[in-house]
Amino acid sequence: MKVRILAVDTSASVAAAAVMDSGTILGEYLVNNKKTHSQKLMPMIKELMDSLELCPQDIDLYAASIGPGSFTGLRIGVTTIKAMAFSLGKPVASVPTLDAIAYNIPMNEAVICPIMDARNLQVYTSLYCWEKGGQKRIADYMGISVYQLIDIIKQKKQKVIFAGDGVQNHRELLQSELDGICSFAPGSLLLQRASAVAQIAFEKSGGTDKEDGFSMLPFYLRKSQAERELEKNHILKL
């Protein structure tokens, strides 16, 4: 099926955009620096589209990584894609961030474990495997401590490949606790990529149920730090 997709990922420090045409990546732009996504994303999309000699009307499906991840980053990416799709009357595709990170890892027999840093030794995570040429999620989306994740991996007694920005903070701990059964994605595949978001969106696009912009919402997994502090202060006042 012929479908041209614009996909973005702003779930963490990386800002990424990609255009895919019927399963073939036409272009991808990825920046990992200190500028805010509100400054980076639209110029990135414009430069990518201009370099491909495309205009927004040429896109058939707009896709975004919806989370978990940075609350502000997710809102920027999701809002941008919703606005573009709505203004053109085009459908959207919501792609869970953990699914997209896992999709960076090529087909193999190991369990794939994306981990996103959630601060205070917490991670957003899930587990995946390749099965019959496709990737399958084999655990819930979780917001847990890295020690809980280590216990889960030990119980599985299988080789595991870690990817995601959580690797940068927890590599030494994971290696020491899971010596012999764990490995890590190389730097080129470690972080979020819009091309993975586009690929998952392409695979979903063959379905009969199409998403419109109104149905796309960020997926947070847990409340923001500000909301948790507000609840804590309210409880203390009781």
Side-chain angles (χ1 to χ4, degrees):
M1 181 181 68
K2 185 171 178 59
V3 57
R4 189 176 287 148
I5 300 167
L6 171 66
V8 304
D9 194 317
T10 55
S11 58
S13 61
V14 168
V19 174
M20 172 177 280
D21 191 346
S22 306
T24 299
I25 288 292
L26 301 183
E28 183 172 21
Y29 201 140
L30 184 153
V31 175
N32 185 15
N33 67 12
K34 295 181 180 179
K35 286 185 180 179
T36 64
H37 294 329
S38 61
Q39 294 174 304
K40 290 183 288 190
L41 187 59
M42 283 308 299
M44 180 184 298
I45 291 172
K46 184 180 186 307
E47 186 170 340
L48 176 62
M49 297 283 281
D50 287 349
S51 67
L52 294 172
E53 300 181 336
L54 296 173
C55 62
Q57 292 89 340
D58 295 325
I59 301 299
D60 303 306
L61 179 66
Y62 286 81
S65 168
I66 59 167
S70 160
F71 284 69
T72 301
L74 289 171
R75 284 194 292 267
I76 290 168
V78 168
T79 300
T80 299
I81 286 299
K82 288 177 69 168
M84 294 181 74
F86 178 76
S87 67
L88 297 164
K90 299 293 180 73
V92 301
S94 299
V95 177
T97 306
L98 293 167
D99 293 8
I101 296 172
Y103 219 101
N104 286 347
I105 309 303
M107 286 184 244
N108 62 83
E109 296 181 356
V111 171
I112 299 165
C113 182
I115 53 173
M116 299 181 68
D117 186 51
R119 300 181 181 178
N120 302 317
L121 291 176
Q122 300 284 310
V123 293
Y124 299 127
T125 188
S126 188
L127 300 174
Y128 301 77
C129 68
W130 283 95
E131 188 177 274
K132 297 179 180 178
Q135 198 172 83
K136 178 182 178 182
R137 182 165 58 85
I138 56 175
D140 292 335
Y141 300 117
M142 299 176 283
I144 57 176
S145 79
V146 67
Y147 293 101
Q148 288 175 286
L149 176 59
I150 288 168
D151 288 339
I152 291 171
I153 298 297
K154 284 180 177 178
Q155 290 169 18
K156 284 204 160 289
K157 298 178 180 178
Q158 292 178 262
K159 290 187 176 180
V160 60
I161 300 174
F162 291 99
D165 61 14
V167 169
Q168 295 167 333
N169 289 336
H170 306 299
R171 181 189 293 263
E172 291 184 7
L173 176 62
L174 293 169
Q175 204 151 28
S176 65
E177 293 287 335
L178 300 170
D179 184 40
I181 65 167
C182 80
S183 58
F184 303 94
S188 58
L189 301 175
L190 188 66
L191 301 179
Q192 287 86 336
R193 300 197 63 134
S195 53
V197 177
Q199 180 64 40
I200 293 173
F202 174 66
E203 293 177 5
K204 292 173 66 174
S205 67
T208 55
D209 295 330
K210 301 295 183 182
E211 269 187 277
D212 61 41
F214 291 108
S215 63
M216 177 181 277
L217 295 170
F219 170 50
Y220 292 128
L221 248 187
R222 68 178 190 179
K223 296 177 180 178
S224 69
Q225 180 69 27
E227 289 174 310
R228 295 198 301 273
E229 288 295 328
L230 186 63
E231 288 182 356
K232 180 181 176 182
N233 291 336
H234 178 70
I235 292 170
L236 291 174
K237 291 177 181 178
L238 294 177

